[in-house]
Amino acid sequence: MPNENHMPTNCIIVDDEPMARDVVRRYVHMIPALKLIGEFGNAIEATMFLQDQSVDLIFLDIRMPQLSGVEFVRSLRNMPKIIFTTAHKDYAHEGFELDVTDYLLKPIRFDRFLKAVNKALPPKQQELETHGITNGEKIEPAISFIYLRAERKMKKVSLDDIIYIESDRDYVKVYTENGFIITRQTIASVEAMLSESQFVRIHRSYIVSVSKLKSFTTETVEIGNKELPIGKLYRNNFLKLQSN
């Protein structure tokens, strides 16, 4: 680990899913105490990198082809801090048997990510300001856009342009001011990339932009030219947020 005179903590990301790497990369960039020095789509590439470079912290997926995250950790001679990032909670016990710093279940929210990072930082770096923490007052990190994989490329989407998001089985439709984008991923993975102050989940199939809401009842919301249902599991949280 680096010394404690506020030197940044060097980190890498190892995950075979581009969208998952995108989320972690944006979170890392929100924390000045972290310095991203590499990202890899598999553990073999990361192994080659570590032959010539030393790192302080690895954000590591567990379930990857060729060499799993668990196998990768066991192969390390000098193990840095490890934060597992995975969509499979069944692997949690393996992570803690390896004495990793933390275990993050996808989709990863920023507040949970920050808590894990603080465990990995040297004491004098813990609780340092992020882009969303200033003078001890916590505000939400400024996120202005996300990337969505569509039509075999990564499309940049401004959060201000998003009206609402709809889940359609294995796909998600993101409705914007300029039409819609279809991406093959879960609505939960998209939700994890969004700002909680700008978007709210109202149904297992819908996320809406708070600023685009025209009206609402206890059963539905009117947004754009659509009326969307509010699910029972999400009703109390939605109504509570609107009353604040």
Side-chain angles (χ1 to χ4, degrees):
M1 294 292 290
N3 61 36
E4 297 181 356
N5 61 352
H6 292 192
M7 291 292 291
T9 293
N10 290 332
C11 63
I12 63 173
I13 301 167
V14 186
D15 198 311
D16 63 324
E17 298 177 5
M19 296 303 301
R21 293 200 303 272
D22 180 58
V23 171
V24 176
R25 183 193 315 115
R26 290 189 301 107
Y27 286 176
V28 167
H29 288 159
M30 294 175 192
I31 304 175
L34 297 180
K35 180 181 180 182
L36 184 63
I37 62 172
E39 57 178 273
F40 308 94
N42 60 68
I44 294 175
E45 291 177 357
T47 299
M48 298 296 291
F49 177 81
L50 292 176
Q51 289 179 359
D52 300 315
Q53 299 283 340
S54 63
V55 301
D56 308 303
L57 172 62
I58 302 177
F59 296 98
L60 179 64
D61 188 21
I62 293 180
R63 196 169 181 177
M64 293 184 292
Q66 298 176 304
L67 187 67
S68 73
V70 171
E71 292 168 334
F72 172 67
V73 170
R74 287 174 175 159
S75 73
L76 296 174
R77 293 183 179 179
N78 299 309
M79 192 172 84
K81 298 288 186 180
I82 303 288
I83 295 177
F84 275 139
T85 60
T86 180
H88 305 277
K89 59 184 177 181
D90 295 340
Y91 290 103
H93 69 282
E94 291 186 69
F96 289 114
E97 283 178 1
L98 293 170
D99 196 28
V100 301
T101 299
D102 209 339
Y103 178 98
L104 297 178
L105 191 64
K106 300 174 184 175
I108 304 166
R109 301 222 65 107
F110 181 75
D111 57 349
R112 182 65 183 86
F113 180 86
L114 184 59
K115 182 177 180 180
V117 168
N118 271 319
K119 293 180 183 178
L121 294 176
K124 288 186 180 180
Q125 281 187 294
Q126 292 177 9
E127 307 297 344
L128 290 180
E129 67 174 7
T130 72
H131 294 316
I133 302 176
T134 307
N135 296 327
E137 181 181 355
K138 185 174 181 180
I139 59 176
E140 189 169 89
I143 306 173
S144 61
F145 63 87
I146 60 175
Y147 281 100
L148 297 173
R149 181 174 293 278
E151 299 174 3
R152 298 185 178 181
K153 54 188 173 184
M154 302 299 289
K155 290 193 174 183
K156 185 176 182 179
V157 183
S158 169
L159 296 187
D160 289 337
D161 289 340
I162 296 175
I163 301 171
Y164 70 95
I165 297 164
E166 179 183 12
S167 174
D168 185 8
R169 296 186 179 179
D170 295 331
Y171 294 85
V172 169
K173 292 182 180 179
V174 180
Y175 291 84
T176 73
E177 301 285 0
N178 302 308
F180 65 85
I181 297 170
I182 299 178
T183 180
R184 186 167 186 174
Q185 60 189 104
T186 65
I187 193 169
S189 66
V190 175
E191 182 182 16
M193 295 188 285
L194 301 174
S195 162
E196 289 184 306
S197 66
Q198 292 178 267
F199 296 89
V200 60
R201 185 85 172 263
I202 63 165
H203 189 276
R204 63 188 177 90
S205 298
Y206 296 106
I207 299 170
V208 298
S209 168
V210 175
S211 66
K212 301 293 195 303
L213 286 175
K214 292 182 178 179
S215 64
F216 65 88
T217 68
T218 58
E219 303 291 335
T220 63
V221 301
E222 183 184 2
I223 187 165
N225 59 356
K226 297 283 290 186
E227 186 176 83
L228 304 176
I230 300 175
K232 292 181 180 180
L233 294 177
Y234 302 91
R235 182 174 298 140
N236 288 340
N237 181 60
F238 171 75
L239 296 175
K240 181 180 178 180
L241 290 173
Q242 302 316 304
S243 65
N244 291 338

